[in-house]
């Protein structure tokens, strides 16, 4: 089985290197085909490993020694177990589909080959992250996806907004990653190893305050990668990248790495339930917080991005309450329907000449029937309607909160479910129903390439069946590693009231969204002026607060440092030394003028200086010797 591990891990790297060979060349379709084919091979290998793991086995390999210094020994080690194989399947399935889709989406882009090199490199980094058998290997993959996301968000670097968004994502994640690195250092300092099996076996022997701080530092790292408040602002701005990037990075893989970290480190968080409660509380807040911002946003991709942020909050609620297998289950189900939603948005963008305001669309189901069906299906799954995947995973998180008697969290998540249904179908109604407002702008939309729609079809199937088909075998497999806790509301009357009530609440929200927006809507470029509308539209003014508190003071401090320190001290010192040396050269260059008389004169002067120094040294040496006697 080791060979399949290596194939699953290194096939994306091979695709990235192959595409990089043609990086500066004009578009070569073969790069997209080869990169997609290698990703498919990685998926097949992951599927073979999944079958092997489901039989109760694990695959653990050590390629070579990486770091060996004193007592520190870290190999290039990788493990395929019940947790990592789930992430491998999610990453390989979604990335294969996104690669195939991107062949059509990036068809006319000058950076076609470069795009596939970056995209495959990202998948390789993500595979390192989920397959490593130690915290430092995970951190290397963690930083790798951070670098690749910077390259992909800023892919259209000629746009200032894209480079700004890429830098924002990179810098904000570096802040969180410093905390994660501190947590890793604390693990090694107190345990002497970074291998998962050693750390998890020894962690319970540490004093509780140390375990608590380790958990906090690691979670702050997860907050940055999964864009949890207050490190959340980069996620919506990252929509400046190509839409396939959003589907892969910001729906299915990178932003879920924080959830994966908490699930993987469950032996640590299981010892500190108070930290877990804080994680769950923050997750519930973020779920509601992001959903409210999606209610009024007028950027199609940002609405879907806020939806991702909200669903990440759900996952952290489950993980924080100790339902790690539930968090991972929602991570898996969410990846399928959210990637489908992003790719559908990509189809609409192409059809609408990159227009993002849904109020300027309308009636697109006439010319984009398949995209309408796929996005509606993804929205139904996202809303949690039975029997699609979102119902089984998201409804289960509500059950966890109720069974664990966290009724405030349950209420917040329930309200968020209604908001999710509303803004999801607000988007669908504005884009595909009502009057054809796009005609005013002379836009004649068309459906995407047929092969792009076929590539999206597996995601649609998974969005439908992932919950009811995969839940039982998934539970039986992952509970070999994760706490095997089943969450059931034992009072059947309460269970049915909650389930039916939630479904009716969600369906009512959908009906209201259709009633309000699936009709003739005016093309209004103005934003409503109400206080609450403006508050939500401006993201609670948090970006402005950050700008005033951090960005502007830092900019002013940088100007002062540049003008007062760099120019007047550093540059002046360096320039002064250079000027002294230059002037000395100007004064002494006559020594090398080639005149024999002049050169003899300087030789005599030099000889005199040497004799004086020799006499002075001798006298001084004798004086010291006499004192010593």
């Amino acid at each position: 089985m080791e060979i399949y591990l290596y194939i699953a891990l290194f096939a994306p790297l091979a695709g990235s290197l192959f595409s990089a060979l043609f990086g500066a060349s004009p578009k070569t379709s073969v790069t997209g085909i080869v990169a997609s084919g290698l990703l498919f091979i990685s998926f097949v290998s992951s599927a073979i490993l999944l079958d092997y793991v489901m039989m109760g086995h694990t695959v653990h390999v050590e390629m070579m020694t990486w770091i060996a210094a004193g007592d520190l020994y870290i190999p290039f080690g990788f493990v395929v177990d019940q947790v990592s194989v789930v992430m491998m399947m999610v990453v390989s399935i979604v990335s294969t589909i996104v690669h195939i889709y991107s062949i059509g989406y990036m068809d006319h882009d000058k950076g076609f080959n470069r795009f596939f090199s970056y995209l495959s490199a990202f998948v390789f980094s993500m595979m390192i992250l989920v397959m490593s058998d130690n915290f430092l290997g995970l951190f290397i993959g963690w930083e790798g996806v951070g670098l690749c996301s910077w390259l992909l968000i800023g892919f259209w670097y000629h746009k200032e907004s894209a480079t700004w968004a890429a830098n924002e994502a990179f810098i904000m994640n570096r802040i969180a990653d410093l905390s994660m690195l501190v947590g890793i250092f604390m693990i090694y300092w107190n345990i002497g190893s970074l291998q998962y099996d050693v750390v998890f076996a020894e962690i319970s022997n540490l004093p509780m305050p140390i375990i608590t701080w380790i958990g906090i530092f690691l979670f702050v790292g997860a907050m940055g990668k999964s864009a949890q408040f207050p490190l959340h602002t980069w996620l919506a701005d990252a929509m400046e990248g190509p839409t396939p990037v959003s589907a892969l990075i910001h729906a299915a893989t990178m932003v879920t790495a924080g959830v994966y970290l908490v699930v993987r480190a469950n032996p640590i968080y299981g010892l500190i339930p108070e930290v877990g409660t804080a994680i769950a509380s923050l997750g519930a807040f973020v779920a509601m917080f992001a959903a409210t911002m999606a209610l009024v946003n007028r950027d199609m991709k940002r609405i879907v991005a806020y939806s991702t942020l909200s669903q990440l909050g759900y996952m952290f609620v489950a993980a924080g309450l100790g339902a790690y297998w539930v968090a991972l289950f929602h991570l898996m189900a969410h990846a399928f329907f959210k990637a489908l939603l992003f790719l559908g948005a990509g189809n609409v963008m192409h059809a609408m000449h990159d227009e993002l305001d849904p109020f300027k669309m309308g009636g697109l189901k006439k010319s984009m029937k398949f995209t309408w069906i796929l996005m509606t299906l993804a929205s139904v799954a996202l809303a949690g309607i039975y029997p699609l995947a979102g119902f089984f995973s998201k409804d289960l998180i509500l059950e966890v909160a109720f069974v664990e008697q966290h009724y405030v969290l349950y209420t917040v998540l329930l309200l968020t479910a209604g908001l999710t249904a509303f803004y999801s179908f607000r988007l669908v109604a504005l884009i595909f129903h009502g009057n054809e407002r796009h005609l005013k702008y002379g836009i004649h939309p068309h459906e995407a390439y047929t092969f792009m729609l076929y590539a999206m079809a597996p995601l649609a199937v998974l969005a439908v069946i992932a919950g009811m088909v995969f839940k039982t075998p998934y539970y039986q497999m992952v509970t070999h590693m994760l706490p095997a806790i089943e969450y059931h509301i034992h009072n059947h009357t309460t269970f049915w009231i909650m389930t039916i009530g939630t479904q009716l609440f969600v369906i009512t929200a959908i009906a209201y969204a259709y009633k309000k927006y699936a009709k003739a809507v005016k093309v209004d470029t103005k934003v409503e002026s109400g206080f609450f509308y403006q508050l939500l539209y401006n993201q609670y003014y948090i970006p402005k607060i950050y700008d005033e508190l951090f960005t502007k003071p830092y900019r002013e401090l940088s100007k002062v440092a540049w003008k007062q320190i760099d120019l007047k001290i550093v540059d002046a010192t360096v320039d002064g030394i250079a000027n002294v040396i230059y002037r000395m050269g100007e004064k002494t260059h006559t020594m090398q003028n080639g005149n024999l008389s002049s050169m003899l004169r300087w030789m005599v002067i030099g000889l005199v200086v040497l004799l004086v120094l020799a006499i002075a040294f001798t006298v001084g040496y004798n004086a010291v010797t006499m004192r010593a006697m």
Side-chain angles (χ1 to χ4, degrees):
M1 286 293 143
E2 290 185 14
I3 186 64
Y4 294 111
L5 184 152
Y6 291 130
I7 292 172
L9 176 62
F10 289 109
L13 177 62
S16 176
L17 295 176
F18 178 83
S19 300
L21 293 174
F22 305 92
S25 305
K27 179 204 167 186
T28 309
S29 296
V30 69
T31 58
I33 296 171
V34 170
S36 302
L38 287 166
L39 260 296
F40 181 74
I41 291 172
S42 178
F43 158 66
V44 172
S45 297
S46 298
I48 293 171
L49 290 167
L50 172 65
D51 181 65
Y52 185 70
V53 170
M54 288 186 73
M55 293 187 292
H57 306 293
T58 60
V59 183
H60 189 189
V61 299
E62 290 189 5
M63 288 179 57
M64 63 187 78
T65 298
W66 178 17
I67 300 175
D71 295 330
L72 177 62
Y73 173 74
I74 302 175
F76 276 115
F78 301 96
V79 63
V80 178
D81 55 25
Q82 289 80 4
V83 172
S84 62
V85 76
V86 173
M87 292 296 296
M88 289 169 63
M89 288 298 296
V90 170
V91 172
S92 60
I93 289 172
V94 176
S95 61
T96 299
I97 291 169
V98 169
H99 271 70
I100 297 170
Y101 176 91
S102 298
I103 295 174
Y105 189 89
M106 303 296 291
D107 185 42
H108 303 294
D109 197 285
K110 294 180 180 179
F112 183 89
N113 302 333
R114 180 168 57 90
F115 177 81
F116 278 93
S117 180
Y118 293 167
L119 203 63
S120 293
F122 170 84
V123 178
F124 171 63
S125 298
M126 193 68 198
M127 288 299 227
I128 291 177
L129 191 158
V130 301
M131 295 174 68
S132 288
D133 68 350
N134 62 83
F135 280 100
L136 195 56
L138 178 144
F139 187 74
I140 295 300
W142 195 275
E143 295 304 295
V145 295
L147 171 62
C148 293
S149 69
W150 177 75
L151 294 170
L152 288 164
I153 295 168
F155 182 77
W156 290 316
Y157 53 84
H158 54 276
K159 294 168 56 180
E160 183 179 354
S161 58
T163 56
W164 188 91
N167 289 336
E168 180 190 20
F170 191 82
I171 293 168
M172 194 163 285
N173 273 276
R174 298 294 73 71
I175 295 169
D177 292 353
L178 175 61
S179 172
M180 182 179 174
L181 200 57
V182 171
I184 292 173
F185 282 150
M186 287 185 68
I187 290 172
Y188 175 71
W189 185 263
N190 289 279
I191 295 178
S193 176
L194 294 175
Q195 300 297 115
Y196 291 149
D197 51 357
V198 177
V199 172
F200 297 151
E202 298 292 332
I203 191 71
S204 60
N205 297 325
L206 299 183
M208 194 55 64
I210 292 177
I211 301 174
T212 301
W213 280 111
I214 289 173
I216 291 172
F217 282 123
L218 291 180
F219 178 66
V220 173
M223 286 171 59
K225 198 65 74 184
S226 294
Q228 296 296 284
F229 179 88
L231 304 174
H232 66 282
T233 56
W234 69 267
L235 183 63
D237 293 334
M239 296 302 105
E240 289 290 339
T243 302
V245 173
S246 303
L248 181 62
I249 295 180
H250 306 117
T253 55
M254 189 185 84
V255 294
T256 60
V259 180
Y260 169 77
L261 173 61
V262 176
V263 172
R264 171 59 77 180
N266 72 89
I268 296 176
Y269 289 100
L271 298 172
I272 44 176
E274 65 280 1
V275 174
T277 302
I279 292 172
S281 301
L282 178 63
F285 167 76
V286 170
M288 174 70 81
F289 174 72
T292 56
M293 291 189 289
L295 289 175
V296 301
N297 203 276
R298 295 183 55 160
D299 184 311
M300 176 175 57
K301 286 179 67 178
R302 283 177 177 261
I303 292 171
V304 183
Y306 286 131
S307 172
T308 299
L309 185 54
S310 182
Q311 295 307 304
L312 287 167
Y314 273 89
M315 297 174 207
F316 277 115
V317 169
L321 297 180
Y324 303 106
W325 71 269
V326 177
L328 193 61
F329 185 53
H330 189 50
L331 184 159
M332 176 183 68
H334 170 264
F336 301 140
F337 55 73
K338 186 54 64 67
L340 180 62
L341 203 55
F342 265 116
L343 296 184
N347 291 351
V348 174
M349 278 185 66
H350 263 201
M352 293 296 297
H353 301 174
D354 293 333
E355 177 59 60
L356 288 167
D357 188 349
F359 281 86
K360 297 180 181 179
M361 301 178 189
L364 291 186
K365 72 175 182 178
K366 296 179 182 178
S367 52
M368 303 183 70
K369 185 176 181 180
F370 289 104
T371 299
W372 165 57
I373 293 172
L374 293 172
M375 286 193 69
T376 302
L377 197 64
S379 298
V380 172
L382 174 60
I385 300 294
Y386 180 85
L388 275 71
F391 168 80
F392 290 92
S393 60
K394 194 159 68 172
D395 201 60
L396 194 55
I397 296 174
L398 289 170
E399 288 185 36
V400 169
F402 191 86
V403 170
E404 295 292 328
Q405 300 181 358
H406 290 277
Y407 300 120
V408 174
L409 299 184
Y410 170 81
T411 304
V412 171
L413 295 180
L414 180 61
L415 292 174
T416 302
L419 296 179
T420 301
F422 176 81
Y423 69 67
S424 297
F425 282 90
R426 168 183 177 262
L427 185 63
V428 171
L430 285 171
I431 294 173
F432 296 106
H433 300 274
N435 52 318
E436 298 176 277
R437 301 178 295 279
H438 55 272
L439 297 177
K440 178 180 178 180
Y441 302 94
I443 298 174
H444 301 283
H446 56 84
E447 190 59 275
Y449 294 133
T450 303
F451 79 88
M452 294 170 67
L453 298 174
Y454 279 128
M456 295 166 65
L459 290 175
V461 173
L462 289 167
V464 174
I465 70 169
M468 53 185 169
V469 173
F470 297 155
K471 181 181 175 182
T472 300
Y474 161 83
Y475 174 79
Q476 293 172 348
M477 180 184 70
V478 298
T479 49
H480 281 86
M481 281 193 66
L482 303 177
I485 304 173
E486 291 196 62
Y487 298 90
H488 295 302
I489 299 170
H490 297 293
N491 187 317
H492 293 290
T493 303
T494 304
F495 171 77
W496 284 111
I497 290 174
M498 287 175 54
T499 303
I500 295 172
T502 302
Q503 291 290 288
L504 289 175
F505 181 50
V506 168
I507 291 170
T508 302
I510 293 172
Y512 180 65
Y514 267 109
K515 181 182 178 181
K516 188 173 177 63
Y517 297 105
K519 57 183 181 180
V521 178
K522 293 182 180 179
V523 179
D524 188 4
T525 56
K526 295 182 180 178
V527 178
E528 293 183 26
S529 57
F531 171 75
F532 287 107
Y533 192 99
Q534 285 291 319
L535 182 68
L536 300 181
Y537 185 80
N538 289 286
Q539 305 172 56
Y540 294 91
Y541 296 99
I542 291 174
K544 291 186 178 180
I545 293 172
Y546 285 177
D547 191 49
E548 294 294 330
L549 288 182
F550 302 111
T551 307
K552 288 183 179 179
Y554 183 78
R555 187 185 298 121
E556 293 303 315
L557 180 63
S558 299
K559 287 181 180 179
V560 171
W562 168 50
K563 292 180 180 179
Q564 304 300 325
I565 300 175
D566 194 43
L567 292 180
K568 293 185 178 181
I569 299 177
V570 178
D571 285 0
T573 302
V574 173
D575 291 344
I577 294 171
N579 288 331
V580 169
I581 295 173
Y582 179 79
R583 288 169 185 162
M584 287 176 62
E586 285 289 311
K587 297 293 184 182
T588 58
H589 77 280
T590 54
M591 296 170 61
Q592 302 293 331
N593 60 6
N595 185 287
L596 182 60
S597 299
S598 177
M599 295 174 71
L600 287 172
R601 189 181 306 113
W602 282 108
M603 288 174 64
V604 171
I605 293 172
L607 181 61
V608 171
V609 170
L610 289 174
L611 288 172
V612 170
L613 290 174
I615 293 170
F617 175 78
T618 303
V619 172
Y621 178 76
N622 290 334
V624 171
T625 303
M626 292 295 292
R627 288 197 194 96
M629 294 175 62

